Amino acid sequence: MKSFSLTESQLPFDLDLSLSCGQIFGWKKTRDTWKGVHNGSIVTIRQKGILIEYDGLSQQDVIRFLGLSDPISDIIESIREHIIAYKGSPDRFFETRYSQSRGLRILRQHPWECLVSFICSANSNVSTIGKRINLILGRYGTSCTLFENTFPDPAVLSQCQEPELRECLTGYRAPYLIKTAQYIHEHPDFFHQVRKMEYHQAKDTLMNLPGVGPKVADCVLLFAFEHLNAVPVDIRIRKIIEDKYASLIHTDKSGKLPYDTIGGFCREYFGPYAGYAQQYLFATRDLEKGEVTRSAELP
DNA sequence: CCCCAGGTCTGCT
DNA sequence: AGCAGACATGGG
């Protein structure tokens, strides 16, 4: 395995949290080593303190994939400054969540792999999504080694049979995957075009794809296109915002807030790194079994 | 047998 | 534009 050491400006970094917090699916950890698919390759990575050991990618690509070039101390500082500017005092709830998810990075996924993953994610849970992705890799993946596959190309998925794809636990999402694959296959420069667009235009463009609504589009923009202001609003984030931040949102409505109201508020409140703030709120290390409201309440 | 999950689409007002 | 229902399926 190749290796490098994290520098001061790249700390804190937490590989386990970054790979298991629900921004990427299908990665498996055996003992201390993670293995998964990235950019058409099988990649292995492990972290021992400040040492990163890896294989299957160049060092440059590992650094990019793991978001290790992000100015992480500037990012948290920016988020805190925007909070102060907005409401005049620190945000205890955010700080509690942040303290439990320090070291998290926004990964830089391959757009196609990310798009497939999040079309599969609709109305499902993290563990099921991971199984779904691995079943797709197993059945349709382009062969890498004997037992390891990477994401099937758009051409492959566009021509697969829907009943067969449904055997990969995709359910009603199968036709979305096939139609989206057809579109990407017929427009090979689609991702290249999207990459050049500003946030809102890129989002509108992605939302033209079958199975891609505002949430999936925001996930792809945040996790694959480096739009760090994109805020995916899922059930968990919606509950947090409606429970903890409703009083800060100027709206005539009561009850369920529209998607763009929540996303727009987060961008105003947290600033241009709202996507990072959202991940800190979403991805608390020990949140997975019902500790949603215990540890952090206003003073 | 119930409800929930990193939602989207369709078809009504 | 905004709002219910339908949609497959595993987990708890």
Side-chain angles (χ1 to χ4, degrees):
Chain A
M1 296 236 331
K2 299 174 281 188
S3 69
F4 62 89
S5 291
L6 297 168
T7 64
E8 189 68 28
S9 64
Q10 292 173 318
L11 298 174
F13 174 69
D14 187 327
L15 180 68
D16 286 351
L17 182 60
S18 300
L19 287 176
S20 66
C21 69
Q23 56 176 322
I24 195 166
F25 303 101
W27 280 65
K28 293 172 184 168
K29 188 184 187 187
T30 53
R31 288 182 291 280
D32 60 347
T33 304
W34 287 93
K35 179 180 285 194
V37 170
H38 172 66
N39 201 10
S41 301
I42 303 294
V43 179
T44 55
I45 311 178
R46 62 172 170 259
Q47 177 178 16
K48 295 175 175 174
I50 65 165
L51 187 66
I52 301 294
E53 298 181 314
Y54 63 96
D55 215 341
L57 283 181
S58 68
Q59 176 171 334
Q60 182 180 345
D61 287 342
V62 172
I63 288 172
R64 175 181 155 71
F65 172 52
L66 298 179
L68 288 171
S69 296
D70 287 345
I72 201 66
S73 60
D74 291 347
I75 287 171
I76 183 63
E77 187 180 343
S78 167
I79 292 170
R80 285 171 173 153
E81 284 173 0
H82 279 83
I83 290 170
I84 295 287
Y86 192 101
K87 75 179 185 105
S89 61
D91 182 337
R92 304 255 305 123
F93 179 76
F94 171 79
E95 290 297 335
T96 301
R97 287 302 180 90
Y98 172 69
S99 72
Q100 295 169 341
S101 52
R102 278 165 46 88
L104 172 66
R105 296 308 164 94
I106 304 292
L107 304 175
R108 266 53 168 197
Q109 299 180 43
H110 186 285
W112 169 245
E113 297 168 2
C114 188
L115 179 60
V116 170
S117 295
F118 281 96
I119 289 175
C120 286
S121 78
N123 198 26
S124 192
N125 57 54
V126 172
S127 71
T128 303
I129 299 163
K131 287 180 186 169
R132 202 172 278 152
I133 295 303
N134 278 318
L135 284 171
I136 291 173
L137 294 181
R139 183 173 292 241
Y140 299 106
T142 54
S143 181
C144 207
T145 70
L146 193 52
F147 296 106
E148 294 171 330
N149 294 324
T150 71
F151 270 79
D153 296 331
V156 173
L157 270 197
S158 70
Q159 287 162 269
C160 74
Q161 297 303 308
E162 182 182 322
E164 192 178 86
L165 183 54
R166 279 178 181 255
E167 291 175 20
C168 300
L169 304 181
T170 53
Y172 63 90
R173 307 162 192 81
Y176 302 153
L177 289 168
I178 294 170
K179 287 180 196 161
T180 287
Q182 284 171 349
Y183 186 88
I184 302 296
H185 180 52
E186 291 162 6
H187 300 80
D189 61 339
F190 179 78
F191 291 127
H192 181 69
Q193 298 298 325
V194 170
R195 195 174 282 285
K196 293 189 295 190
M197 296 176 186
E198 293 304 308
Y199 168 69
H200 288 289
Q201 188 188 0
K203 184 167 175 177
D204 288 342
T205 303
L206 286 170
M207 285 174 61
N208 286 326
L209 298 170
V212 180
K215 156 66 169 61
V216 170
D218 274 327
C219 285
V220 174
L221 291 171
L222 179 60
F223 300 139
F225 285 106
E226 305 190 81
H227 285 274
L228 301 183
N229 59 330
V231 178
V233 180
D234 72 321
I235 293 283
R236 203 140 115 188
I237 292 298
R238 171 175 294 281
K239 283 199 177 93
I240 290 172
I241 298 300
E242 290 178 346
D243 290 354
K244 307 287 185 185
Y245 296 91
S247 64
L248 295 175
I249 302 179
H250 41 73
T251 177
D252 47 348
K253 305 182 196 308
S254 61
K256 185 172 180 179
L257 298 170
Y259 186 100
D260 288 332
T261 300
I262 295 178
F265 163 74
C266 289
R267 276 182 285 281
E268 284 189 42
Y269 182 72
F270 295 115
Y273 295 113
Y276 254 101
Q278 182 267 12
Q279 278 305 103
Y280 289 136
L281 290 178
F282 180 90
T284 304
R285 204 179 316 270
D286 45 16
L287 190 61
E288 284 310 320
K289 39 187 195 316
E291 195 223 346
V292 177
T293 55
R294 194 207 70 198
S295 59
E297 197 44 89
L298 294 175

